Amino acid sequence: MERYDTIVVGAGMSGTTCARILQDAGQRVLVLEARDRIGGRMNTDRTAGFSVDLGASWIHGIDGSPLWDLVQALDVPTVEFTVGSFQAGGRPIEDFDGDGRRMDAAASARWVDDVARADAALLDEIASSSPGDTYLDVTERVLDRSGLEPERIDEIREFFRHRVEEQCGAWIGDLDAHGLDEDAIEGDEVIFPRGYDELPNRIAAGLDVRLSQAVTAVSRGADGVTVTAGAENFTAASVVVTVPLGVLKAGAITFEPPLPEHMAAPLGRLGMGVFNKVFLQFPERFWDEGSYAIRALGEAGELWHSWYDVSAISGRPTLLTFAAGPLGRHLQELSDAAIVTDVLTALRTLYGDAVPEPVAHWITRWGQDPYSNGSYSYQAAGTSHIDHDALAGPADGVLHFAGEATWGDEPATVGGAYASGHRAAERVLGRSVDLAEFATRIVAAENG
Ligand SMILES: Cc1cc2nc3c(=O)[nH]c(=O)nc-3n(C[C@H](O)[C@H](O)[C@H](O)COP(=O)(O)OP(=O)(O)OC[C@H]3O[C@@H](n4cnc5c(N)ncnc54)[C@H](O)[C@@H]3O)c2cc1C
């Protein structure tokens, strides 16, 4: 049986990064991927002749971002779109009040100010929170003390709830009070007109990636590891498992001997959220030219509340909205037709008959996908960023985990996945690896 230096399980951003670094360092590397494609939760549908990113879309803040450095080194085009982290202001947003009425500039400005004040108070409240406090606990304490009238409090309450749903895929009462500490956005956000999955695909060029190979078991022995996919066994000195937290939590891979407590405990504690996308393409625009987003506050936005104008990607009028947390879990059980009707009803309460029937739609169901079993990880009440990093292991020096859920500084992101793949490769090699050199090698190989 052929023996590898390292087997990498999963060909998403973390797996391809890790494998490429190891191979460029001279290792014999095998990548086993369950899907019939590379990219994992970076998944671009190009069947309509333009890119539709069904998984990740954004770099959430390009300042000081190693991922942005990679994007620039690989000369990947991007479009500025700085509303991807549920900001209340900063860019033109069409706000509607709790009764579904368009807010004027003064009302919107007051709203943005309300959120800024509440967020400032929230920082103090989080800093003085007790272990086990949830995000719901700390936000309610802030709202109690705000002194604002009830409608304004309701709007901020909805905003906090929806921000947790979008950023974490979770219900606000399930998230730890510190669950958004790592959520700071430094600089502009960008999206990818050619499709985000260009990155893992270019990183994977030249790697031995075996598609449609779902790994079911990983065992560690005296002389390394054995990885089982279907009826086949593969052996190596070490293994880096990058499958999503949801897949690990579902027990889809058996570890023999079982995972040590320092990895099993965070695996049990961290949460896996659900965050789904609904793209609607319209024959014509009914919202303002230049608006980044549409947002319904308070009661008007209880379910569907935020729509993002992603027309720049396809050149056609397209809105992207999200169903996340409990709503996301519920809606993914419904048919496409029912979901589209529901979204249109919500839009028509804001824009009336101006909203035409869409000409196309794209809907995701990441919570039902057996190879992700959710969208991204979150800090469940009682956990911290330390749990994310602890999950990386290693176990017995030969079993490493990587992936967004293992990167405490920036979980739930492509940037976190990239950093975690880099860290796992450095741990396998036992030395540091310069990411600028990593990018240079990819470009050099592409240029022959
Ligand atoms: C709808 C959605 C929107 C998002 N938006 C953003 C965004 O705008 N910006 C951002 O930064 N992040 C975003 N994210 C998060 C981002 O996509 C992920 O954090 C990142 O892509 C994860 O990379 P990864 O390598 O950790 O995992 P993955 O990309 O999931 O890679 C893991 C791989 O393991 C494979 N696998 C699973 N089980 C097995 C098995 N048994 N055997 C072999 N292989 C297996 C999977 O098929 C997958 O290819 C979004 C995610 C979703 C779902």
Side-chain angles (χ1 to χ4, degrees), residues 67-419:
L67 179 61
W68 177 240
D69 294 342
L70 176 71
V71 166
Q72 286 181 299
L74 300 190
D75 207 13
V76 180
T78 56
V79 173
E80 182 274 328
F81 201 62
T82 314
V83 290
S85 305
F86 213 62
Q87 295 89 335
R91 293 291 188 273
I93 297 177
E94 293 178 28
D95 290 316
F96 290 80
D97 68 16
D99 297 321
R101 282 187 308 249
R102 181 80 183 261
M103 288 158 65
D104 61 19
S108 274
R110 190 180 76 166
W111 157 245
V112 171
D113 190 52
D114 277 357
V115 173
R117 282 169 197 272
D119 267 339
L122 188 56
L123 283 182
D124 294 338
E125 196 60 57
I126 291 169
S128 59
S129 64
S130 306
D133 276 356
T134 69
Y135 206 77
L136 181 63
D137 295 329
V138 285
T139 52
E140 284 302 317
R141 292 206 283 264
V142 163
L143 293 174
D144 274 354
R145 278 208 279 274
S146 70
L148 294 172
E149 60 256 35
E151 306 84 71
R152 283 164 82 183
I153 290 184
D154 281 350
E155 288 172 356
I156 304 171
R157 176 178 287 119
E158 285 289 296
F159 181 84
F160 283 150
R161 180 164 74 84
H162 291 146
R163 183 166 64 190
V164 171
E165 289 169 359
E166 291 211 354
Q167 301 302 91
C168 309
W171 177 59
I172 189 168
D174 287 336
L175 184 73
D176 191 82
H178 288 278
L180 283 175
D181 283 5
E182 268 63 53
D183 205 44
I185 306 303
E186 312 286 348
D188 284 351
E189 295 175 273
V190 296
I191 54 176
F192 292 80
R194 283 204 312 229
Y196 214 163
D197 74 358
E198 176 180 342
L199 285 185
N201 277 289
R202 284 175 66 185
I203 294 169
L207 291 174
D208 183 359
V209 182
R210 311 265 173 97
L211 298 175
S212 305
Q213 295 281 331
V215 167
T216 51
V218 172
S219 58
R220 352 193 254 287
D223 67 340
V225 294
T226 302
V227 177
T228 308
E232 271 195 274
N233 286 328
F234 303 89
T235 60
S238 13
V239 61
V240 180
V241 175
T242 74
V243 305
L245 180 70
V247 172
L248 293 171
K249 285 177 90 73
I253 298 177
T254 306
F255 293 94
E256 196 47 53
L259 291 174
E261 188 57 17
H262 67 270
M263 293 166 82
L267 173 53
R269 282 197 293 262
L270 290 167
M272 186 69 176
V274 167
F275 171 86
N276 282 315
K277 289 182 162 182
V278 180
F279 292 86
L280 295 181
Q281 200 163 82
F282 293 97
E284 71 258 2
R285 177 189 297 267
F286 53 86
W287 59 100
D288 294 349
E289 193 79 41
S291 288
Y292 277 59
I294 298 163
R295 180 159 293 135
L297 309 181
E299 215 173 299
E302 201 179 335
L303 296 180
W304 304 100
H305 49 84
S306 302
W307 292 265
Y308 301 89
D309 181 355
V310 293
S311 313
I313 299 289
S314 61
R316 301 166 195 205
T318 308
L319 291 178
L320 164 62
T321 186
F322 304 125
L327 176 70
R329 285 184 197 278
H330 165 67
L331 278 162
Q332 62 187 11
E333 307 290 333
L334 305 183
S335 67
D336 278 18
I339 295 169
V340 170
T341 302
D342 214 38
V343 179
L344 287 176
T345 304
L347 277 172
R348 286 182 181 138
T349 62
L350 310 180
Y351 292 92
D353 294 342
V355 181
E357 284 300 303
V359 291
H361 68 262
W362 293 260
I363 295 174
T364 70
R365 292 178 175 78
W366 287 98
Q368 295 177 343
D369 181 328
Y371 300 128
S372 59
N373 206 17
S375 298
Y376 32 71
S377 62
Y378 69 89
Q379 286 169 25
T383 66
S384 79
H385 64 99
I386 292 168
D387 287 290
H388 286 293
D389 292 306
L391 183 61
D396 301 328
V398 294
L399 166 63
H400 304 260
F401 282 171
E404 56 83 11
T406 70
W407 192 255
D409 252 7
E410 201 194 345
T413 64
V414 174
Y418 178 52

Side-chain angles (χ1 to χ4, degrees), residues 10 13-14 33-35 40-41 55-58 60 215 244 403-404 413-414:
M13 190 67 186
S14 59
E33 166 55 53
R35 299 181 198 272
R41 283 170 280 172
S57 298
W58 272 273
H60 294 302
V215 167
E404 56 83 11
T413 64
V414 174

